[in-house]
Each structure stands twice: as structure tokens, then as C-alpha cells.
Amino acid sequence: MLNRVRSAVAHLVSSGGAPPPRPKSPDLPNATSVPPAAPPETPKSPPARTGSGSAAPAKTVEARASFSRPTFLQLSPGGLRRADDHAGRAVQSPPDTGRRLPWSTGYAEVINAGKSRHNEDQACCEVVYVEGRRSVSGAPREPSRGQGLCFYYWGLFDGHAGGGAAEMASRLLHRHIREQLKDLVEILQDPSPPPLCLPSTPGAPVSSDSSHLVGPQSCWSSQKEVTHESLVIGAIENAFQLMDEQMARERRGHQVEGGCCALVVVYLLGKVYVANAGDSRAIIVRNGEIIPMSREFTPETERQRLQLLGFLKPELLGGEFTHLEFPRRVQPKELGQKMLYRDQNMTGWAYKKIELEDLRFPLVCGEGKKARVMATIGVTRGLGDHNLKVCSSTLPIKPFLSCFPEVQVYDLTQYEHCPDDVLVLGTDGLWDVTSDCEVAATVDRVLSAYEPNDPSRYTALAQALVLGARGTPRDRGWRLPNNKLGSGDDISVFIIPLGGPGSYS
């Protein structure tokens, strides 16, 4: 009976692989393995499971199912327990089983030092095939080989207030992207400009004529240029929105608690699309040069967007907050005095006379990692958070949080890349204690110790970055070599070689 229970637990929490062997040293880790490609099906609701941070389940199997790690790690139940150990904080990477992640991608992660019950980061790496939905001409598509598109996909999801949103996004976001690309399969493979409209019924002609539009003809003297690249960006943006809407619909029945930041990379037709919603980041290290591929979305970086929304819709502030920012909280004794402030239109500071409504709590407060929206959350873009309320209030925060990512594009065909050129993706647990220059130095140090055609070098690099950000345990917590505090957060890192699928995989 005990063996049957153990087998059931293993089936729920792991793909059944053996626990990965421990690396001999931080710079000599084991190689990675490849996950199965996403099955060609419409995004569906996830199976109901209890997310981390929820009430204690009645059954042991349910408790195990509440904590999951990326499938490609192939963790056994014992490996899952080691990954969930806050004291040891062992670095996890895919096992060396002879099969590797696409492009020989490197990956490593480590749990937090006790910040949350489980590791709330999630990751996904897939090769996704897109079958076209219809022919641009409107005629039914003849089934034949080579008509679809294939894209490579990597995603990091940094959960907060529970791991349910990150886990759901890691399983479904790439499927939403695939659905959005189905209408574009033939368009993206045709060098001519995209059609203005897609036919609503099979056989109907495609319209590119704007003469029927109402208004002064001078406004429509020429049609705006729309590139294939912008169509892919739009597909990714729509997929993020649809993922967020699905979380809103299913947050009760499927325990989708909390929210998550999302950092996603899509490689399609020679171009890399980096989509970021949150405070995770991506950089390219190319021949020693650092190329930022994303930026953080925090209360500080998005102050003016947040203040503008509060100004246009004051009802969202509930009479509890002011959209204005002051250097510190205004005191009642300062009524009538002039104090420094700035509003949604200002990047500098000016003086204004303090009035009664200025005594309300500021919409954006704090600075750095302590900056908060409505004194509650430190990120302003991401997925989920549909139940998030101001502390001791029923005032929702979601209206101020955007699910739309910023997408940056890098054309791989424009440069000659060597095996040491990589795209580094990391959750904020890496970047909180590691600068871009320190990451680039680690890239050079680790990769130079390996042969250029050794695919395990990218896992070695991912592990070195995670170990460097985590630090080593000492009497006063996890410390870096300079004795500063290491990252106590969950840390997840992808290393994507820029040579592409055919160069060194």
C-alpha cells in the first residue's frame, strides 16, 4: 500500500526522472535535457490544484500537488523535497540524460531563504508548432507539409502572494501565443505587406481598400505601414491579455491565487522577441557588449502612468489616496504651507500649497525595492492579482496593474554570433544583487573554461549566476564574497545561446 501511495505522489509532482547528480563544483555542472514540445491544442483550463499559500489540504497527495517545479527538471519526490528546502537551498538544473533543452539552453534555480513557503518562480521551455487557421485568400487550406510555423519559447514567471498564477501561466501562455499566431501563418511567410482585413467567410476576397471609410479623404490618403514584426508583437500582447482574462475567470475554481511577473522570449523567423511584464529582466551579452532587452516595471518607473490613471479616474482612489507624489507623507500641521510635489505631467519637482486632500496616502510611495502602489505591491505589470485589495480595505488594486508586456526585438540574422554570445533571462532574485557588468564578467569567466562546442557550458553558466546571487550560508544569513547579503528571494535563470537551433545544439 505504501509503495502505491509513493507511486501516486511521484506521478503527481514529477515527470518520473531520477534526481539529478550533484555537480562536482559550481563551474562544472551537468548538462540539460529537452522537454516535450507543447501539444497542438487550444488553451484549456488547468487541472484543479491547491496553490502554495492556501489552507493546509486534508490529504498528503493534495499537499504534494500544491508544490510543483518545471517539468524539464524531472524531479523525483526526493528531488522535489530537496528543491523545497529553505535551509540547504540546493541549486536545481535539468539532469544530464543525453537530451537537452532547445538550443542547448542552460537553466538553474534555487528556492528563497524563507520568504515564502515554496519556490514561487516557474519556468517553461518549449518548441511550439503553429498550424495556420485559414488561407489569406479565404479559400480552405489544403493539408500539406511545411505550411505551418515553428517557434521556440522560453518563459520565466515570478509569482507573488502564492504560486498559482505563475504555475498556470507557465503551462498556458505559450498556447495562447500559438492561438494568436494561427491567423498569421501564411501572412508571415509572404513577403508582401499584410492585408488590411482577413476574410470573415471562406472564399471572400481580402480587402485592402480604405476608400469606403467615413471621414475626410485626406486622412486616408495612404494606408499605414504595418510590418510582419509588428504583427508578431501584437500576437504576443494579445496572448498576455487573454492569459490574464483566463486567470480572472478561473481564479476561484482552480486556486489561481496571487499574481506573477512574466518574462517571455519567442524566436520566430530569425528574430527574437523579448516580452516583459514585471521586474524580471533580460540582457544580451555579445562579444563582451551588454545589450538590455527589457526594463523593470515598478511604481517608480511607471509613476506617471499610475498618476495619470488616478487623475482621470479618481473613484479608483476611493477617497483614501492622492495621485500626487510628495517627498514624504504630508503632516496635518503642514496644511497651508508650500511643499515639494509632482503630478502625472512632471518629471521635476515644484511647490504647491498643501490642502486637506493632500493628507491622503500617496498612490505611489517609497523608493527602490520598497516602492509600492497603494502601499501594497511593488510591481506594476504582470498577470493575475485579480483579488488583490488594499490592506484593511476593499479597494481593488488591479485597475492600476497592467498585463500588457513591453516587447523588444533582436534580429539574429543581422549579426555573426559566436558560441559565447548569450541571452540571459533572470527573475529579480538575480538582478537585486547582481549588476549587468557582473553578469557579463561571469559569462566570460565560465564560458571561457569550456570548449565552444560543449553544450553543458550554458548550464554551468546558469548555475554560476544563481550561486553567485545566492551566496554562501554564514552566521548572519546568506552572504556574498564581499560580505553583503545575498539574494533571499527565489532565483531562476535561463541562458540562451544566440547561435540558434542549428549552430551548437
Side-chain angles (χ1 to χ4, degrees):
M1 178 64 181
L2 180 60
N3 289 334
R4 287 201 298 270
V5 172
R6 286 174 176 169
S7 298
V9 171
H11 176 74
L12 283 170
V13 300
S14 173
S15 59
R22 302 175 69 89
K24 296 180 181 179
S25 72
D27 288 342
L28 294 171
N30 294 287
T32 58
S33 65
V34 64
E41 60 186 37
T42 303
K44 292 191 274 188
S45 302
R49 59 176 66 188
T50 305
S52 60
S54 59
K59 297 181 181 180
T60 302
V61 172
E62 292 177 359
R64 288 301 181 86
S66 69
F67 171 61
S68 66
R69 301 310 312 138
T71 305
F72 58 74
L73 287 177
Q74 301 184 34
L75 295 178
S76 66
L80 193 64
R81 286 192 295 271
R82 286 190 292 274
D84 203 27
D85 179 14
H86 297 280
R89 299 187 76 190
V91 175
Q92 306 296 319
S93 288
D96 185 4
T97 58
R99 301 177 63 202
R100 307 187 184 280
L101 293 173
W103 295 20
S104 296
T105 296
Y107 177 79
E109 68 172 40
V110 72
I111 194 172
N112 61 79
K115 175 182 175 182
S116 60
R117 181 181 176 188
H118 299 299
N119 187 339
E120 295 180 341
D121 284 1
Q122 287 290 343
C124 180
C125 182
E126 299 281 354
V127 182
V128 185
Y129 179 74
V130 186
E131 181 70 40
R133 203 188 314 273
R134 59 156 63 91
S135 170
V136 170
S137 65
R141 182 182 298 277
E142 293 293 332
S144 64
R145 299 184 62 183
Q147 289 185 332
L149 288 175
C150 185
F151 69 86
Y152 292 81
Y153 173 90
W154 299 261
L156 288 181
F157 305 92
D158 184 355
H160 49 258
E167 195 274 340
M168 184 177 182
S170 71
R171 289 185 295 105
L172 296 181
L173 181 56
H174 60 285
R175 300 184 184 183
H176 281 291
I177 294 175
R178 181 185 60 206
E179 286 299 308
Q180 293 301 300
L181 289 174
K182 282 186 176 180
D183 282 331
L184 306 179
V185 167
E186 189 172 335
I187 295 173
L188 294 176
Q189 297 178 94
D190 185 347
S192 60
L196 181 63
C197 298
L198 292 177
S200 57
T201 57
V206 176
S207 171
S208 60
D209 180 20
S210 59
S211 61
H212 64 284
L213 296 171
V214 178
Q217 194 62 33
S218 60
C219 295
W220 304 100
S221 56
S222 62
Q223 183 176 312
K224 284 187 176 181
E225 180 182 355
V226 177
T227 64
H228 292 80
E229 181 181 293
S230 66
L231 290 179
V232 178
I233 292 174
I236 295 172
E237 291 169 335
N238 277 342
F240 270 68
Q241 183 180 27
L242 292 169
M243 183 75 256
D244 192 60
E245 291 173 354
Q246 184 175 359
M247 288 182 176
R249 291 192 306 270
E250 304 183 6
R251 64 185 184 273
R252 292 183 180 89
H254 296 288
Q255 302 283 337
V256 186
E257 79 283 3
C260 68
C261 301
L263 175 62
V264 162
V265 172
V266 171
Y267 170 79
L268 178 64
L269 297 175
K271 293 184 178 180
V272 173
Y273 298 82
V274 180
N276 185 44
D279 58 0
S280 300
R281 286 205 298 115
I283 65 170
I284 285 175
V285 180
R286 187 185 69 200
N287 194 27
E289 178 188 5
I290 298 169
I291 306 172
M293 291 301 297
S294 68
R295 63 187 181 101
E296 296 175 313
F297 292 100
T298 68
E300 285 187 306
T301 63
E302 291 214 284
R303 172 187 62 84
Q304 288 179 280
R305 178 184 72 82
L306 299 169
Q307 287 182 315
L308 178 60
L309 182 57
F311 171 73
L312 295 176
K313 295 188 175 182
E315 66 273 13
L316 296 177
L317 302 175
E320 302 177 30
F321 294 86
T322 173
H323 73 283
L324 300 179
E325 181 185 16
F326 300 92
R328 62 165 171 78
R329 183 76 183 273
V330 180
Q331 304 298 317
K333 64 181 180 181
E334 293 165 334
L335 280 169
Q337 297 182 20
K338 285 190 173 183
M339 180 179 281
L340 287 168
Y341 87 105
R342 58 182 176 180
D343 64 15
Q344 68 277 3
N345 300 311
M346 302 169 64
T347 55
W349 295 83
Y351 288 94
K352 78 175 292 289
K353 184 178 180 180
I354 297 300
E355 300 173 359
L356 191 61
E357 54 267 28
D358 296 328
L359 298 179
R360 297 169 182 166
F361 205 87
L363 172 62
V364 176
C365 64
E367 58 184 353
K369 293 298 289 185
K370 295 183 179 180
R372 294 292 183 269
V373 178
M374 296 178 136
T376 304
I377 187 170
V379 291
T380 54
R381 298 201 190 191
L383 302 170
D385 289 313
H386 294 280
N387 293 326
L388 187 62
K389 302 288 194 299
V390 174
C391 184
S392 302
S393 171
T394 59
L395 197 61
I397 299 177
K398 181 63 175 178
F400 290 96
L401 308 180
S402 173
C403 65
F404 284 95
E406 180 181 75
V407 184
Q408 296 194 36
V409 185
Y410 180 81
D411 192 343
L412 279 180
T413 66
Q414 297 299 307
Y415 303 94
E416 185 87 21
H417 293 95
C418 74
D420 289 357
D421 296 336
V422 294
L423 173 59
V424 181
L425 312 182
T427 55
D428 64 331
L430 171 70
W431 304 108
D432 285 349
V433 298
T434 314
S435 68
D436 291 358
C437 291
E438 289 170 331
V439 168
T442 303
V443 169
D444 178 67
R445 173 177 61 83
V446 175
L447 295 186
S448 63
Y450 287 80
E451 292 295 326
N453 61 350
D454 184 350
S456 67
R457 65 206 306 259
Y458 304 112
T459 297
L461 175 53
Q463 290 191 342
L465 288 172
V466 170
L467 287 167
R470 183 201 67 179
T472 55
R474 299 184 188 174
D475 293 338
R476 295 176 295 158
W478 295 84
R479 297 280 171 171
L480 303 178
N482 58 10
N483 207 36
K484 291 184 178 180
L485 278 174
S487 176
D489 201 355
D490 302 314
I491 310 170
S492 301
V493 172
F494 268 129
I495 302 295
I496 304 173
L498 293 181
S503 295
Y504 0 96
S505 60

